[in-house]
Amino acid sequence: MGLMIYMMVMDSQHKEHGGSMPVDQNILPGLSILNLAFFLLCTPVQFLGGRYFYIQAYRSLRHGVANMDVLIVLATTIAYVYSFIVLIVAMIEGAKQSPLTFFDTPPMLFVFIALGRWLEHVAKSKTSEALAKLMSLQATDATIVSMGRDNTIIREEQVSVELVQRGDVVKVAPGGKFPVDGKVIAGTSMADESLITGEPMPVIKKPGSCVIAGSINAHGALLVEATHVGAETTLSQIVKLVEEAQTSKAPIQQLADRLSSYFVPFIVVISVLTVVAWLIIGFLDFDVVAKYFPGYEQNISRTEVIVRFAFQASITVLSIACPCSLGLATPTAVMVGTGVGAQNGILIKGGEPLEMAHKVGAVMFDKTGTITNGVPQVTRVLVLWDRARLPLRKVLAVVGTAEASSEHPLGMAVAKHCKEELGTETLGSCHDFQAVPGCGISCKVSNIEDLLQNSPKTQETNTPAAKQTPLLVTLQGATTDESSLVADTDSGSDSPSYSVLIGNRQWMLRNGLEVTTDVDDAMSSHETKGQTAILVAIDGVLCAMLAVADTVKPESALAVHTLSSMGIEVFMITGDNRRTARAIATQVGIRKVFAEVLPSHKVAKVQELQERGLKVAMVGDGVNDSPALAHADLGIAIGTGTDVAIEAADIVLIRNDLLDVVASIELSKKTVQRIRINFVFALIYNLLGIPIAAGVFMPVGLVLQPWMGSAAMAASSVSVVLSSLLLRLYKKTSVEEYESRAQSHKLSLSPSQVSTHVGMENHRCSPLSFRRSFDRHRRSHSGSGPSFMKSNSSHTSTTQHSTIGRSIV
């Protein structure tokens, strides 16, 4: 860049002398100091710095295509060769003045074009790291067991996972990863399958249940018969889908190349016609050449003067028509657009997402962690005062102490809520803790009286002001007494022990407790909203019900409404159960939902929408979303999501705000509009400048000297850059403005307005379906080059989530 600036300054001084150098600055006849400096500086740039462009131009011409590289090489080569020849001729002739040269042109063009291309590619990298992280989720070893006739284990052998064959029986210890896809033949446990389903709730595994490679076994040893191994596993198929998609992105520079494919031959033809026309005119009427080519050497022949003049006009055409501005039109806008996006919390990976986002006709949202917060939270606590007259704070202290020993996500959510309500980080003592998968927990709790008396919120409650305004709780299916909400701090200082049961209906019934109709109705009311209802029994008395749910983000409904008002179809696709999916959809206003789907079915759903002619955007945050993120026309990842999802996506929402999906589309529209304006600037400049450079308007006194062509070329590049910089004026629409637009509209829906689809049940446990979907994807795109991946949703899951049965681990 410093070389280019130096040469431009020197060249401007050179051209102040009308295209030749003063006599006193010549070191040899016809050779000035500046021309010598230009030659020495330009030559390595031309042949070393420009080597890449020469190679690309050669490859392009071999395929019968004239792209921008051809025009760049043509212009720089002609400028260099012409300058070298006229300089040698001037030295041979012993000219008193050094001739005008174009040695400054090649470095300028190479630097501007290379910089523009580098800026476009700088954000595209590291996809291989994401795939490496994904593969690291796979187990490396497996324990193969030999079974006797009575299903007893005869022998165990530790082997590499690559040696496991279909039909082998594998033992998975508590806390270990499942090395293969398979079916449980013995044992009961819980498995964390968030890798595949994206849901935070562990899934019960018992004989006959399917397991997925890479998911984590919780607390019980399992014997699993391998059904899919190696490259056939679900995890391997996800990797293949992401790899296939990430090789199919087309550079946005294609538009410029298409224009250049017509522009290059056109400019070459005009340049040749200029030479021929002025040769003819010069030989027919030399006075015309003499009039418009003043200062030529009087001691050379007329033929040489005519040839020089004709060649100078031709070089002026090539110089002014050089695609510098055309090459900068896209990269500069992309650079500014991505910078503006980053300032607004939107990480855009290059120009293709910017070009694509404004074309999106459908947006598919994952549920957990995208529309919702992705973390279970206690949404309601109902105290059954008519059954057990325990203060609310004592109930919270007992429940929190019991759940503090749990590793289950729901248990941890309950414990966290109790600590926050009690205003303490330390709870009582828990012993005899037992967890029963699919049911609940039982334990004994003690040492909570001191906790209630010493907690900050208890002290606040005991103040006179607090006693005058007790907390009010609305209970369904039970009565309440306001006094129950105030901790009983006057009880004795002894520390009684409480027998605690926490779990679902079946757990209470198994322990001899009756779940009455009013309590069951209260639970069902929450479960129909996609929440998990948990019962609490203390000392054999059913005394409370807690509702736990993954809550919706506050901006989700507004984002969905704004997208719909822009004419974009909005879908929700999730691995969660149908009831929960419908409940969330009603809250945010999504009319079409696909529930209980696997990654392969998400990809198939994206393909289905693309076959309808829609450009599809997928918004997700988990590993299970990565194939759909990569396959979608536009993949948008939540910044708090997994590394694999972030790497597979085209756009990352750093601030975890769904309204940034809308902002991404708005910024795309602004950027594409600016790119088009840049192209108009570049093309109009060429269409006006070329006839002037060719001498068409010389008869009316409009003459363009070569140095004017270079200046005009620089001016066109500057105008394109300045045009791109106007994108910095973009301001993201505020939340208040979005809310004002949606004031007269209802953001939520009734359940009858939501269409919920559940996919193919027989594909729930079969990773083979994942592979078949992948193979169909490959066949559908064979012969047309790699394509990006999309998401489908018609698949059914037989997994019963914790809205029906809950286990505390």
Side-chain angles (χ1 to χ4, degrees):
M1 183 63 73
L3 167 63
M4 185 188 69
I5 295 173
Y6 170 77
M7 295 185 70
M8 290 177 65
V9 172
M10 299 286 280
D11 187 55
S12 65
Q13 296 176 356
H14 181 181
K15 289 160 185 171
E16 287 176 358
H17 298 278
S20 61
M21 296 303 304
V23 178
D24 58 355
Q25 294 190 29
N26 285 1
I27 57 175
L28 291 173
L31 177 62
S32 66
I33 297 176
L34 291 183
N35 270 335
L36 177 61
F38 284 167
F39 172 76
L40 294 177
L41 293 173
C42 175
T43 299
V45 175
Q46 178 71 31
F47 297 106
L48 297 180
R51 180 173 177 271
Y52 168 82
F53 295 95
Y54 277 98
I55 293 174
Q56 296 302 316
Y58 172 72
R59 291 175 178 173
S60 177
L61 291 174
R62 280 188 60 187
H63 291 85
V65 178
N67 62 2
M68 285 184 61
D69 294 311
V70 174
L71 189 55
I72 293 167
V73 167
L74 182 64
T76 55
T77 302
I78 291 176
Y80 180 85
V81 172
Y82 168 79
S83 301
F84 181 78
I85 291 175
V86 297
L87 195 59
I88 295 298
V89 171
M91 293 174 63
I92 293 174
E93 294 176 347
K96 294 180 180 180
Q97 292 182 334
S98 189
L100 171 68
T101 61
F102 298 94
F103 285 125
D104 61 310
T105 299
M108 264 188 8
L109 294 181
F110 287 144
V111 170
F112 273 126
I113 298 300
L115 177 62
R117 292 184 177 180
W118 177 77
L119 290 174
E120 184 179 5
H121 288 86
V122 70
K124 299 178 181 178
S125 61
K126 299 183 179 179
T127 55
S128 59
E129 293 183 10
L131 294 175
K133 291 178 182 178
L134 187 57
M135 287 305 298
S136 69
L137 297 174
Q138 177 65 280
T140 57
D141 299 316
T143 302
I144 297 180
V145 300
S146 300
M147 307 292 291
R149 293 184 179 180
D150 55 352
N151 289 331
T152 58
I153 298 177
I154 301 176
R155 186 183 61 172
E156 296 184 7
E157 182 181 2
Q158 192 85 6
V159 300
S160 173
V161 71
E162 288 83 6
L163 300 178
V164 180
Q165 302 295 318
R166 183 177 298 181
D168 287 345
V169 177
V170 179
K171 179 179 178 180
V172 184
K177 292 181 180 179
F178 290 98
V180 294
D181 291 343
K183 184 174 292 186
V184 177
I185 61 174
T188 301
S189 182
M190 303 288 290
D192 178 6
E193 292 187 344
S194 58
L195 166 71
I196 301 302
T197 66
E199 302 306 317
M201 309 302 180
V203 181
I204 301 173
K205 297 300 177 183
K206 56 187 178 181
S209 300
C210 295
V211 297
I212 302 174
S215 56
I216 300 175
N217 184 24
H219 60 79
L222 295 176
L223 294 182
V224 177
E225 180 182 355
T227 57
H228 296 86
V229 298
E232 296 180 348
T233 64
T234 303
L235 181 60
S236 296
Q237 296 302 323
I238 293 177
V239 173
K240 285 183 180 180
L241 287 171
V242 176
E243 285 178 331
E244 178 82 6
Q246 288 179 338
T247 59
S248 65
K249 292 293 190 183
I252 195 173
Q253 196 61 37
Q254 259 188 344
L255 176 59
D257 284 342
R258 286 197 299 268
L259 292 174
S260 297
S261 65
Y262 299 102
F263 186 70
V264 172
F266 173 74
I267 294 303
V268 172
V269 170
I270 294 298
S271 181
V272 172
L273 290 177
T274 300
V275 172
V276 173
W278 282 111
L279 286 175
I280 295 174
I281 293 173
F283 284 114
L284 292 178
D285 188 354
F286 180 75
D287 292 337
V288 175
V289 174
K291 178 180 179 181
Y292 297 114
F293 191 37
Y296 65 89
E297 293 291 335
Q298 299 295 328
N299 58 345
I300 62 176
S301 65
R302 286 191 174 188
T303 300
E304 290 183 55
V305 173
I306 294 171
V307 171
R308 283 192 182 185
F309 176 72
F311 198 71
Q312 176 178 293
S314 176
I315 287 295
T316 304
V317 170
L318 285 175
S319 177
I320 199 171
C322 192
C324 193
S325 58
L326 192 62
L328 288 173
T330 295
T332 53
V334 168
M335 178 185 65
V336 178
T338 53
V340 170
Q343 291 174 355
N344 288 276
I346 304 169
L347 178 60
I348 304 172
K349 300 180 181 179
E352 177 67 11
L354 275 177
E355 183 186 31
M356 181 57 63
H358 81 287
K359 301 177 183 178
V360 168
V363 175
M364 302 193 73
F365 285 100
D366 175 47
K367 178 182 75 67
T368 305
T370 303
I371 291 178
T372 66
N373 289 297
V375 179
Q377 297 178 356
V378 175
T379 59
R380 200 169 191 188
V381 178
L382 304 180
V383 177
L384 308 180
W385 179 251
D386 60 340
R387 297 170 178 267
R389 295 183 172 271
L390 290 176
L392 173 61
R393 294 182 56 76
K394 181 172 287 188
V395 172
L396 293 176
V398 171
V399 172
T401 301
E403 294 285 31
S405 301
S406 172
E407 296 178 356
H408 193 286
L410 295 185
M412 290 187 288
V414 171
K416 179 181 178 182
H417 175 79
C418 293
K419 289 179 180 179
E420 291 175 350
E421 290 299 311
L422 295 172
T424 180
E425 286 297 322
T426 58
L427 297 172
S429 302
C430 177
H431 51 94
D432 296 339
F433 182 88
Q434 180 185 9
V436 179
C439 292
I441 66 170
S442 65
C443 65
K444 292 186 181 299
V445 171
S446 59
N447 298 328
I448 65 167
E449 269 64 29
D450 291 339
L451 164 68
L452 293 176
Q453 293 175 3
N454 297 329
S455 66
K457 289 195 175 183
T458 300
Q459 296 172 5
E460 294 175 5
T461 305
N462 288 331
T463 63
K467 292 182 178 180
Q468 294 174 6
T469 57
L471 174 66
L472 298 179
V473 178
T474 302
L475 306 179
Q476 294 184 4
T479 59
T480 183
D481 188 319
E482 292 178 0
S483 63
S484 71
L485 304 172
V486 182
D488 184 9
T489 59
D490 296 328
S491 60
S493 59
D494 55 337
S495 180
S497 177
Y498 301 90
S499 177
V500 183
L501 293 172
I502 304 177
N504 56 24
R505 298 175 179 84
Q506 290 76 16
W507 185 234
M508 297 300 157
L509 294 175
R510 183 185 297 186
N511 286 276
L513 296 177
E514 180 185 3
V515 180
T516 59
T517 303
D518 56 353
V519 175
D520 186 74
D521 290 343
M523 297 179 69
S524 299
S525 173
H526 288 283
E527 289 170 345
T528 55
K529 299 175 183 177
Q531 301 177 358
T532 300
I534 304 171
L535 295 174
V536 177
I538 300 178
D539 290 336
V541 179
L542 197 62
C543 62
M545 186 196 77
L546 285 74
V548 183
D550 183 8
T551 56
V552 173
K553 292 179 181 177
E555 78 280 0
S556 294
L558 185 57
V560 170
H561 169 77
T562 305
L563 289 171
S564 299
S565 65
M566 296 168 65
I568 297 174
E569 295 185 52
V570 182
F571 303 85
M572 186 173 77
I573 188 164
T574 177
D576 207 346
N577 64 78
R578 179 173 185 166
R579 180 168 53 186
T580 302
R582 180 190 290 270
I584 298 298
T586 58
Q587 295 180 54
V588 299
I590 296 179
R591 296 180 178 273
K592 198 161 188 178
V593 177
F594 300 94
E596 302 176 20
V597 297
L598 289 178
S600 60
H601 303 119
K602 292 184 178 183
V603 169
K605 175 51 63 179
V606 173
Q607 288 178 320
E608 179 182 319
L609 293 177
Q610 288 173 327
E611 289 170 359
R612 289 171 45 191
L614 294 173
K615 298 296 184 182
V616 183
M618 174 69 191
V619 186
D621 70 323
V623 172
N624 62 307
D625 299 318
S626 57
L629 286 169
H631 190 66
D633 296 288
L634 184 71
I636 303 177
I638 304 300
T640 55
T642 63
D643 290 342
V644 176
I646 290 173
E647 294 294 347
D650 303 300
I651 296 177
V652 179
L653 307 182
I654 301 173
R655 297 177 181 172
N656 196 20
D657 187 345
L658 288 188
L659 284 174
D660 284 345
V661 175
V662 181
S664 301
I665 296 175
E666 291 179 344
L667 181 58
S668 170
K669 291 180 179 179
K670 296 287 186 182
T671 304
V672 171
Q673 182 184 34
R674 187 56 52 185
I675 291 174
R676 290 171 178 168
I677 292 173
N678 290 348
F679 277 125
V680 169
F681 278 153
L683 293 176
I684 288 181
Y685 148 80
N686 280 289
L687 293 176
L688 293 178
I690 290 170
I692 299 175
V696 174
F697 299 101
M698 280 186 180
V700 296
L702 191 55
V703 181
L704 189 64
Q705 298 294 332
W707 68 269
M708 297 179 184
S710 297
M713 180 188 67
S716 69
S717 300
V718 171
S719 67
V720 167
V721 173
L722 292 177
S723 173
S724 297
L725 288 175
L726 291 177
L727 277 173
R728 290 185 174 274
L729 301 177
Y730 169 80
K731 298 295 182 183
K732 188 168 66 172
T733 306
S734 64
V735 177
E736 292 74 18
E737 185 171 345
Y738 285 131
E739 291 175 342
S740 65
R741 295 175 186 174
Q743 272 185 350
S744 59
H745 300 274
K746 184 179 179 181
L747 301 185
S748 60
L749 300 173
S750 64
S752 61
Q753 293 177 290
V754 178
S755 172
T756 307
H757 303 265
V758 177
M760 302 156 286
E761 182 173 346
N762 61 330
H763 283 66
R764 173 65 181 93
C765 294
S766 174
L768 179 60
S769 66
F770 195 99
R771 182 180 184 183
R772 288 172 177 169
S773 174
F774 170 69
D775 290 339
R776 285 195 299 270
H777 161 71
R778 293 181 61 185
R779 289 195 297 270
S780 66
H781 292 86
S782 60
S784 60
S787 78
F788 249 57
M789 316 190 170
K790 284 347 133 146
S791 135
N792 163 309
S793 111
S794 55
H795 130 260
T796 295
S797 168
T798 59
T799 300
Q800 296 298 318
H801 290 256
S802 57
T803 50
I804 298 176
R806 172 196 179 235
S807 70
I808 306 294
V809 180

